[in-house]
């Protein structure tokens, strides 16, 4: 079973948006998917509870009782803000790949810098057993903030996969318990182009 960890110690970075849409993509692609929500707010779990029954099934993973769904091929883990120390080490060790969402603000970049420094020190990352990459979230490419974010991310030394726009379609999907990959392609064509590098990287990282 392959494990995607979506993590950043900064709250509101876009972890749940990435986790739920990744789970949607994998389920639509025919995989048996577990969605693991480690955040106290349980936003991913609430999203899953709203998911329409006629869409590809995504199973819930209960980290407290260790309930799993037999035959699952992927688990997507949505982490809590403030993940660090032993909890961070354990989560990274279990993951095949870690995706770090970062928004274009000074607060987000400052908090993410410290988190990425800790992440780079994790044994699983140093030994290339767990792969790490970055995703820009809610980015307007025409702004100075977007340029600043791009420069910051390039300087981290981690792969920068893509920049996802700040679009109403994400809020709509969250409210309905669906992902972009459950929606009519004509509504999300621009977003699918932005997601393509991320999805390709996951396939490559999971194959290592």
């Amino acid at each position: 079973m392959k494990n995607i960890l979506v993590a950043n110690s900064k709250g509101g970075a876009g972890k749940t948006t990435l986790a739920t849409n990744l789970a949607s993509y994998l389920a639509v692609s025919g995989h048996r998917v577990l969605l693991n929500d480690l955040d106290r707010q349980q936003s991913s779990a609430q999203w899953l509870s709203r998911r329409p029954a006629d869409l590809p099934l995504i199973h819930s993973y209960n980290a407290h009782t260790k309930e799993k769904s037999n035959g699952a091929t992927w688990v997507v883990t949505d982490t809590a803000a403030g993940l660090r120390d032993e909890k961070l080490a354990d989560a990274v060790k279990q993951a095949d790949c870690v995706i770090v969402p970062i928004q274009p603000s000074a607060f987000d970049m400052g908090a993410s810098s410290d988190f990425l420094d800790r992440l780079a020190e994790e044994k699983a990352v140093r030994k290339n057993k767990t792969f790490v990459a970055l995703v820009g979230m809610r980015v307007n490419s025409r702004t100075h903030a977007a340029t600043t974010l791009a420069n910051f991310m390039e300087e981290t030394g981690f792969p920068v996969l893509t920049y996802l726009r700040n679009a109403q379609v994400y809020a709509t999907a969250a409210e309905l318990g669906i992902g972009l990959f459950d929606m009519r392609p004509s509504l999300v064509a621009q977003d699918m182009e932005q997601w393509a590098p991320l999805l390709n990287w996951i396939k490559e990282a999971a194959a290592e």
Side-chain angles (χ1 to χ4, degrees):
M1 183 167 63
K2 300 296 184 179
N3 188 334
I4 302 171
L5 182 72
V6 183
N8 191 328
S9 60
K10 174 71 170 62
K15 295 184 290 292
T16 298
T17 296
L18 278 182
T20 53
N21 281 281
L22 283 169
S24 162
Y25 164 73
L26 292 167
V28 168
S29 299
H31 295 283
R32 191 172 179 85
V33 184
L34 300 177
L35 183 58
N36 184 14
D37 192 347
L38 300 182
D39 195 346
R40 288 184 179 180
Q41 295 182 357
Q42 292 288 286
S43 296
S44 286
Q46 292 171 19
W47 172 86
L48 188 56
S49 71
R50 295 191 293 272
R51 187 167 178 78
D54 61 337
L55 293 180
L57 183 62
I58 298 171
H59 301 271
S60 175
Y61 175 95
N62 190 316
H64 299 291
T65 62
K66 302 299 182 184
E67 291 178 357
K68 294 184 178 181
S69 177
N70 291 333
T73 52
W74 288 86
V75 56
V76 179
T77 301
D78 182 7
T79 60
L83 183 68
R84 62 183 64 198
D85 302 329
E86 290 184 5
K87 290 185 178 180
L88 175 61
D90 289 342
V92 171
K93 184 178 180 180
Q94 295 175 27
D96 293 283
C97 53
V98 182
I99 302 172
V100 183
I102 307 176
Q103 292 195 51
S105 80
F107 296 113
D108 285 80
M109 286 182 278
S112 299
S113 180
D114 294 337
F115 178 74
L116 290 171
D117 287 343
R118 292 196 297 270
L119 195 56
E121 295 173 357
E122 292 298 330
K123 184 177 180 180
V125 175
R126 288 189 285 107
K127 291 184 175 295
N128 291 321
K129 294 183 177 179
T130 302
F131 299 93
V132 179
L134 315 181
V135 173
M137 300 294 293
R138 300 171 186 166
V139 178
N140 183 340
S141 61
R142 299 179 179 179
T143 63
H144 173 71
T147 302
T148 301
L149 176 63
N151 292 336
F152 166 77
M153 292 172 72
E154 291 292 345
E155 292 173 358
T156 65
F158 289 113
V160 179
L161 300 180
T162 191
Y163 298 89
L164 304 182
R165 66 180 182 141
N166 186 14
Q168 179 61 34
V169 67
Y170 287 102
T172 300
E175 181 180 350
L176 297 176
I178 64 176
L180 269 62
F181 303 91
D182 300 302
M183 303 177 78
R184 193 164 68 247
S186 60
L187 294 177
V188 292
Q190 180 179 347
D191 303 288
M192 292 299 97
E193 291 181 4
Q194 294 178 342
W195 272 82
L198 168 57
L199 302 178
N200 290 335
W201 181 82
I202 287 173
K203 294 173 185 177
E204 293 174 1
E208 294 289 341

